Amino acid sequence: MAALLALPASMPLCAFSQPLGQVISAGAPVVLTTSSGLMLAPQLEEHPLRAGHGAAKFVLGDQVEAQGEQQVTVSGAAEVRTPTLVIKGDRLHYDAATDQADAYGNVRIINKGNTFSGPEAHLKVKANEGYMLSPNYHFNAGGSGSAQRIDVLDPERTVITHGTYTGCPCPQPAWNIKASRVEFDKANNSGVARNGVLFFQQVPLFASPYLSFPLSTERVSGLLPPVVALGSTAGADVTLPYYFNLAPNRDLTLYPRYMSHRGTQFGADYRYLSPTYAGSINVEYLPHDEVMQSRRYAVYAQHRHELKNGLGAYFNYNRVSDNTYPEDLTAGNIFMNGTQLLYQQEAGLTYNQGPWSALARVQRWQTLPPSAAPYGREPELNVKYERYDEYGFDFGAQANYSRFRIATADLTEGDRIYLKPYLSYPLMTPAYFIVPKLQYHLASYDLSTIASTASPRQPRYFGTAIPTLSLDSGLVFERAVRFFGTEYIQTLEPRLYYVYTPYREQNFMPLFDTAEADFGLAEIYTENTFVGNDRVADASRLTAGITTRFTDPVTGHERGRLVAAQQYYFQQQRVTLLPNESNLRANHSDLLLGAALKLRAGLSSETAVQFNADNNELIRSNIGFGWSPEDRKVLNLAYRYTRANPTLNYRPIKQAVISAQWPLSRRLYGIGRLNYGLDSRRLVDSLLGFQYDADCWAFGLAIQRFANGIDPSGANATGTRVLAQLEFKGLSRIDNGLIEQLRASVPGYVGLPPPPPPPSRFSNYE
């Protein structure tokens, strides 16, 4: 066993002889050994076991030799211990006057869970500073390596000379950084490698005179993993982003990008966040496009600011240099799903205080062909007032003034003012609800420009006043049922919704912001069949619907839902979107059916159907099935059908979609999506990829075929992209767009397992 020597705080260094408890004055060196058990330090009642330099220190070893009053030499399993530091070695010398510990032979230093091992070390114990020769080291929060020498500058800073670093916990790490000097700063959670080379499987991948990296999963400035892609428009595409952690609430990413077909592009993304404001600015600039022979750019900026007393301000500014920029130069770090054709440019003030809310804004659009340009609002002022449960009444009003402008020549422009007050008296109980409601639509127009295609009798100044009366009602029945041995609570919820709006001539009113509403379960219980404020549909119709739900009585989770709804017309709608447009003559609408099931064993299904019973025609249907028995195992099947109509240029949509994520082995996962047009017999879009999850790294690769605008023949143009993502665990963790696209392509997709949390400083206590 070893002998234990305690160093009292205010006494000279002494040795203890038998019998225990007697203090021997200093003189010639005294050697303490044990022959049959552990020797304990004597109990000193008047002098606590404190060293002269702070916290308690204990010297432990097979043989302890005291030299004078301040020095001790320990041999054989020698140790110096404090509450946070342990120094071990074959031989150890400690000088209490200088607080210097010198250790030789199989030296190990354990400092707050961080370990260093080597043949020789010299350390000031309290200051926690010194050096070790030829060390191997391991940080408790993650990270290890070796070096010719390691210098501990203070409890937070460490420097290694001619060494390596890796965040890989494996005995044979898959990746590491070799550098002439590596500086670790635990307070700032950062490491800096000077003249560093990043190796993967012993193959050099990247070299830099200055390479910074995080010491944990927190954000830190440094080089991010490169983004490598191959595309049909840009060619070989390599982006090398560099991240600046400017402050806890601000960061900046610079991303130079090289495209073999286009040239070198520069990008920057700045983000900021505070308790009262937040925003981002993203700029992309290509000085010379080798294909277009011109400079090209894109700007995306947004800002939100909360001022005082409910007042706020914001702006959104988005612009590209030319019509084909999104097709040619969509940022290399994202996949593409179609082509963006509208770019909003808007600034405004908002107000929200109690029942009042207001918006004042100026809005414009950059429109790329073949999209039709929407009207801008220059300016718009919207004020809303709403009160609820005032003596049982809900009431409010919305007032709006807009000046509509458009860059397209020969289109009507002008000013519009509308006021929409409403009053309702809802009666709500757990068993039923009745909501009568009366509202008015009052509008006034002042047209400054009238399109040449308008009627010769088109007035410049006119107004309209249209009332709408509605009554919404429903019942809720409930019972306990049992299916396949499982208890459920089933509800039966019939609903009737009546709307009456008298006819008013509106063909002379322009279409500034109005279009026909979609027809679905979300829109069937609304007053108006148009969206916007330039048309109010006349109506005398009743919507009848019924819903039944099945819920788990223990958890309250909804396991199933069936819905059916249909409208019945007491008079035909006469208001149309365009003059001379014919209306459908029918006594009732199409039948809407919906179903959603969430069964056990990961099975789920969602179905929506629009059916015309008069013509026995299926108008639209979406049928989907999903199976996910556990995380990272998911299979989805879907079928989409839309009958040919004028909006689709009289072409039907028949698409079959299959998507999946499935483990091919313990570490390899396959991901895929296939959207096939059954009518056109061609791929609409597709994605095929895989992810490999190793202990120290992860790799993902995907190839995507996507819609990319409209070709000159009017058909959908397509493009192809290949994107790879290599992640070194413990060095950086960032998504270059691959994970986001996999999640969007495969419903139910789950990313690779996160790394385990770092162990406690007490996990490997010695």
Side-chain angles (χ1 to χ4, degrees):
M1 298 291 292
L4 177 66
L5 180 63
L7 306 179
S10 58
M11 300 176 58
L13 180 66
C14 299
F16 304 104
S17 65
Q18 299 178 0
L20 289 178
Q22 297 182 357
V23 179
I24 308 299
S25 61
V30 178
V31 177
L32 300 182
T33 61
T34 60
S35 60
S36 61
L38 177 66
M39 177 177 287
L40 300 177
Q43 187 70 28
L44 300 178
E45 297 180 357
E46 298 181 358
H47 301 282
L49 300 181
R50 298 281 178 183
H53 289 268
K57 299 181 179 67
F58 297 91
V59 177
L60 176 68
D62 294 337
Q63 186 174 8
V64 181
E65 179 180 355
Q67 297 109 2
E69 298 183 353
Q70 300 291 328
Q71 300 183 29
V72 63
T73 299
V74 185
S75 302
E79 296 183 28
V80 170
R81 285 183 175 271
T82 75
T84 60
L85 176 69
V86 178
I87 304 174
K88 296 182 177 183
D90 295 339
R91 179 171 171 269
L92 190 149
H93 178 80
Y94 178 74
D95 188 334
T98 61
D99 200 33
Q100 175 80 24
D102 302 301
Y104 305 90
N106 299 313
V107 178
R108 283 177 61 81
I109 298 176
I110 303 96
N111 184 8
K112 296 182 180 180
N114 303 317
T115 60
F116 308 87
S117 60
E120 178 182 343
H122 306 272
L123 190 70
K124 290 187 178 294
V125 178
K126 179 186 177 184
N128 198 5
E129 63 181 42
Y131 68 93
M132 176 182 281
L133 300 180
S134 303
N136 293 310
Y137 64 92
H138 181 271
F139 296 133
N140 185 63
S144 60
S146 60
Q148 290 184 3
R149 170 172 169 149
I150 187 166
D151 290 87
V152 180
L153 306 182
D154 55 45
E156 302 294 340
R157 295 182 299 152
T158 305
V159 176
I160 68 171
T161 303
H162 295 292
T164 65
Y165 170 81
T166 181
C168 177
C170 303
Q172 298 295 327
W175 67 268
N176 62 20
I177 297 173
K178 294 183 179 180
S180 60
R181 177 183 172 93
V182 183
E183 304 162 2
F184 301 102
D185 188 341
K186 290 186 289 183
N188 294 322
N189 183 42
S190 65
V192 174
R194 309 283 181 175
N195 302 316
V197 180
L198 175 63
F199 286 82
F200 178 60
Q201 302 293 8
Q202 301 181 352
V203 177
L205 293 185
F206 179 77
S208 173
Y210 180 91
L211 182 62
S212 64
F213 50 88
L215 298 181
S216 69
T217 56
E218 297 179 3
R219 296 184 296 124
V220 66
S221 298
L223 194 67
L224 300 179
V227 179
V228 180
L230 182 64
S232 55
T233 59
D237 191 341
V238 180
T239 302
L240 192 63
Y242 194 93
Y243 178 80
F244 294 90
N245 187 29
L246 305 177
N249 63 332
R250 298 192 307 274
D251 61 15
L252 172 67
T253 304
L254 302 179
Y255 47 96
R257 176 189 181 193
Y258 173 75
M259 298 166 284
S260 60
H261 293 175
R262 303 280 178 177
T264 302
Q265 184 185 57
F266 302 94
D269 186 11
Y270 174 66
R271 303 184 302 175
Y272 53 93
L273 175 66
S274 85
T276 58
Y277 63 86
S280 64
I281 302 174
N282 181 278
V283 179
E284 301 168 3
Y285 180 71
L286 180 62
H288 181 74
D289 188 322
E290 297 179 3
V291 176
M292 299 290 290
Q293 297 297 312
S294 63
R295 67 181 181 93
R296 310 180 76 180
Y297 66 86
V299 179
Y300 312 95
Q302 60 174 343
H303 178 81
R304 297 289 184 275
H305 204 126
E306 294 182 9
L307 305 175
K308 295 182 179 180
N309 301 321
L311 186 64
Y314 73 96
F315 75 81
N316 293 306
Y317 185 84
N318 304 278
R319 186 170 183 83
V320 294
S321 57
D322 54 82
N323 292 340
T324 60
Y325 185 95
E327 300 176 22
D328 301 337
L329 298 171
T330 297
N333 63 339
I334 63 171
F335 271 85
M336 296 170 61
N337 280 320
T339 302
Q340 183 177 350
L341 300 177
L342 293 176
Y343 292 84
Q344 186 182 40
Q345 299 158 12
E346 179 178 329
L349 296 172
T350 61
Y351 177 80
N352 288 279
Q353 192 79 355
W356 291 95
S357 63
L359 167 67
R361 66 174 176 174
V362 174
Q363 181 190 61
R364 295 179 180 177
W365 300 88
Q366 181 188 12
T367 307
L368 308 185
S371 178
Y375 279 91
R377 293 168 168 87
E378 305 177 15
E380 178 184 17
L381 175 63
N382 189 83
V383 179
K384 184 183 292 187
Y385 179 84
E386 293 181 310
R387 296 296 295 265
Y388 298 97
D389 198 17
E390 292 287 341
Y391 301 100
F393 287 92
D394 295 345
F395 60 90
Q398 180 180 5
N400 181 281
Y401 165 77
S402 298
R403 172 168 291 181
F404 292 97
R405 295 291 182 265
I406 193 167
T408 305
D410 198 31
L411 286 182
T412 300
E413 296 179 327
D415 299 354
R416 184 189 67 195
I417 300 175
Y418 71 77
L419 176 66
K420 293 198 295 186
Y422 73 90
L423 175 68
S424 68
Y425 190 83
L427 301 173
M428 313 291 292
T429 73
Y432 67 89
F433 66 90
I434 301 174
V435 184
K437 182 179 179 181
L438 174 65
Q439 67 180 18
Y440 252 88
H441 180 89
L442 308 170
S444 176
Y445 290 80
D446 179 1
L447 304 184
S448 57
T449 302
I450 298 178
S452 60
T453 55
S455 170
R457 295 185 294 177
Q458 170 70 52
R460 286 185 176 272
Y461 311 101
F462 53 90
T464 186
I466 307 174
T468 296
L469 177 65
S470 64
L471 179 64
D472 196 2
S473 61
L475 299 173
V476 179
F477 300 96
E478 186 177 289
R479 67 171 182 172
V481 295
R482 186 180 183 90
F483 292 116
F484 305 106
T486 303
E487 299 286 345
Y488 296 98
I489 295 177
Q490 181 190 9
T491 66
L492 188 64
E493 307 168 29
R495 182 178 180 183
L496 294 176
Y497 180 69
Y498 176 76
V499 176
Y500 174 76
T501 302
Y503 171 76
R504 297 290 187 270
E505 173 64 43
Q506 299 169 54
N507 286 336
F508 54 87
M509 297 168 63
L511 295 174
F512 289 139
D513 62 355
T514 302
E516 290 187 4
D518 193 15
F519 184 71
L521 291 171
E523 297 82 16
I524 199 169
Y525 294 103
T526 56
E527 297 96 345
N528 198 1
T529 59
F530 300 102
V531 291
N533 295 284
D534 297 312
R535 293 288 187 274
V536 177
D538 58 311
S540 178
R541 66 175 182 269
L542 177 68
T543 302
I546 189 167
T547 301
T548 183
R549 308 174 196 268
F550 298 87
T551 59
D552 189 314
V554 177
T555 65
H557 292 164
E558 186 178 287
R559 295 298 181 180
R561 181 175 69 252
L562 302 174
V563 182
Q566 190 171 27
Q567 291 180 339
Y568 298 90
Y569 308 129
F570 300 108
Q571 66 181 36
Q572 299 299 319
Q573 178 179 318
R574 299 169 59 189
V575 176
T576 58
L577 191 67
L578 298 173
N580 303 321
E581 190 176 39
S582 61
N583 276 323
L584 180 65
R585 299 293 177 178
N587 294 323
H588 54 79
S589 71
D590 295 335
L591 177 64
L592 298 181
L593 301 172
L597 300 175
K598 291 183 180 179
L599 305 178
R600 304 189 188 278
L603 290 172
S604 62
S605 173
E606 289 193 7
T607 302
V609 173
Q610 179 180 346
F611 182 73
N612 188 313
D614 293 336
N615 299 325
N616 198 27
E617 292 177 343
L618 184 63
I619 306 301
R620 285 189 303 181
S621 66
N622 289 283
I623 303 173
F625 297 92
W627 180 46
S628 181
E630 59 185 72
D631 284 349
R632 301 171 194 90
K633 287 185 177 181
V634 59
L635 175 64
N636 303 297
L637 300 173
Y639 173 76
R640 302 170 181 171
Y641 170 78
T642 302
R643 192 173 186 83
N645 58 59
T647 304
L648 299 175
N649 294 323
Y650 298 98
R651 297 177 181 176
I653 294 178
K654 298 179 182 179
Q655 296 177 357
V657 183
I658 180 172
S659 62
Q661 175 192 20
W662 208 264
L664 306 178
S665 66
R666 187 172 70 91
R667 297 185 180 273
L668 184 64
Y669 298 85
I671 303 99
R673 170 187 170 89
L674 182 67
N675 184 353
Y676 184 75
L678 301 175
D679 54 333
S680 61
R681 296 184 180 180
R682 56 180 292 186
L683 283 176
V684 179
D685 65 80
S686 60
L687 181 143
L688 182 63
F690 72 88
Q691 288 180 285
Y692 186 81
D693 183 30
D695 291 330
C696 298
W697 55 278
F699 179 72
L701 178 69
I703 179 170
Q704 183 193 28
R705 185 175 179 85
F706 55 90
N708 190 21
I710 306 297
D711 63 23
S713 66
N716 291 329
T718 58
T720 303
R721 286 179 61 81
V722 179
L723 188 63
Q725 177 174 300
L726 177 62
E727 174 192 334
F728 297 118
K729 298 181 180 180
L731 181 64
S732 63
R733 189 175 183 88
I734 188 172
D735 178 24
N736 62 9
L738 175 63
I739 306 302
E740 180 182 351
Q741 183 58 40
L742 296 180
R743 186 174 290 110
S745 300
V746 182
Y749 167 86
V750 177
L752 297 177
S760 163
R761 53 177 286 196
F762 305 107
S763 298
N764 300 313
Y765 181 77
E766 297 187 28

